[in-house]
């Protein structure tokens, strides 16, 4: 009853859209929870992936540092080997050149036309000694030239060569050795 004595009536209307809205609210809430769970899962996976990438990067950097150190050591060893090789070539070339002059001087003393010589050589034998001694001297000079090339201290000059004479000398050497 109302305050004035009249009966009070209340009418409740059930709107079919309110039930529909409640269902939509429930579905939206459930979908929001699912999206939140999915977002949390993806975020967790990304964090784990980032940690793995950081760890992998650190491991790769350590390998690169190790390989770089090994390469630097190898380069240092190659430099030392190069210096030793150059020193060896220089020493060998000089050691080869040292006996050449006495050999040539001795060959001149035993030359077939030299009447003071006690040794009897034929002209071809004498020519072989002189020619091969000169070849040995040229070989020593070539070795020294290689050393100069490596040090950028070589000056080149062109000269004519009698190829026919070179071949003839080589053939004569082979014939006389047999």
């Amino acid at each position: 009853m109302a305050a004035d004595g009249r009966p009070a009536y209340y009418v409740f209307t059930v709107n079919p859209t309110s039930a529909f809205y409640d269902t939509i609210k429930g579905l939206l809430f459930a979908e929001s929870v699912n999206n939140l769970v999915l977002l949390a899962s993806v975020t967790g996976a990304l964090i784990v992936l980032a940690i793995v990438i950081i760890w992998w990067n650190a491991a790769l950097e350590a390998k690169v540092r190790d390989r770089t150190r090994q390469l630097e050591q190898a380069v240092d060893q190659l430099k030392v080997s190069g210096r030793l090789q150059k020193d060896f070539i220089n020493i060998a070339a000089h050691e080869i050149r040292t006996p050449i002059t006495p050999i040539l001087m001795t060959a001149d003393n035993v030359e077939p036309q030299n009447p003071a010589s006690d040794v009897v050589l034929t002209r071809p034998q004498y020519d072989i000694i002189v020619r091969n001694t000169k070849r040995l001297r040229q070989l020593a000079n070539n070795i020294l030239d290689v050393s100069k090339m490596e040090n950028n201290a070589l000056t080149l000059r062109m000269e004519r060569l009698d190829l026919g004479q070179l071949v003839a000398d080589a053939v004569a050497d082979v014939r006389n050795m047999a």
Side-chain angles (χ1 to χ4, degrees):
M1 289 237 180
D4 60 0
R6 286 189 293 161
Y9 295 100
Y10 296 100
V11 177
F12 290 104
T13 61
V14 176
N15 190 346
T17 57
S18 68
F20 179 70
Y21 285 139
D22 287 342
T23 304
I24 290 176
K25 274 185 185 177
L27 289 173
L28 286 176
F29 179 74
E31 196 61 34
S32 294
V33 169
N34 285 341
N35 285 341
L36 185 61
V37 168
L38 180 63
L39 181 63
S41 298
V42 169
T43 303
L46 287 175
I47 289 172
V48 168
L49 182 62
I51 290 170
V52 167
I53 288 173
I54 290 170
W55 174 81
W56 193 19
N57 186 38
L60 287 175
E61 284 179 354
K63 282 184 180 180
V64 167
R65 279 192 303 274
D66 186 46
R67 297 277 196 249
T68 301
R69 184 183 47 75
Q70 290 173 356
L71 287 173
E72 287 171 347
Q73 288 174 347
V75 166
D76 291 341
Q77 289 174 349
L78 285 174
K79 286 178 182 177
V80 168
S81 295
R83 280 193 300 271
L84 290 174
Q85 180 183 10
K86 287 178 186 177
D87 291 345
F88 173 78
I89 288 172
N90 282 331
I91 290 169
H94 286 291
E95 289 301 317
I96 290 172
R97 287 179 79 185
T98 300
I100 292 174
T101 302
I103 291 171
L104 282 174
M105 290 174 63
T106 303
D108 285 339
N109 287 334
V110 296
E111 184 176 5
Q113 284 84 17
N114 187 350
S117 173
D118 294 337
V119 178
V120 177
L121 283 180
T122 65
R123 174 51 77 179
Q125 291 172 329
Y126 171 75
D127 291 341
I128 289 171
I129 291 171
V130 171
R131 186 173 46 253
N132 285 309
T133 305
K134 288 179 180 178
R135 284 176 53 197
L136 184 59
R137 180 175 51 198
Q138 185 60 42
L139 175 65
N141 289 337
N142 289 346
I143 292 172
L144 287 173
D145 288 346
V146 168
S147 178
K148 288 177 184 177
M149 281 185 225
E150 289 177 349
N151 295 325
N152 294 325
L154 179 70
T155 51
L156 299 177
R157 60 178 165 63
M158 292 185 56
E159 63 181 49
R160 294 198 180 270
L161 171 69
D162 184 358
L163 188 58
Q165 184 62 44
L166 182 65
V167 171
D169 290 345
V171 169
D173 288 347
V174 171
R175 280 189 186 147
N176 287 321
M177 285 183 199

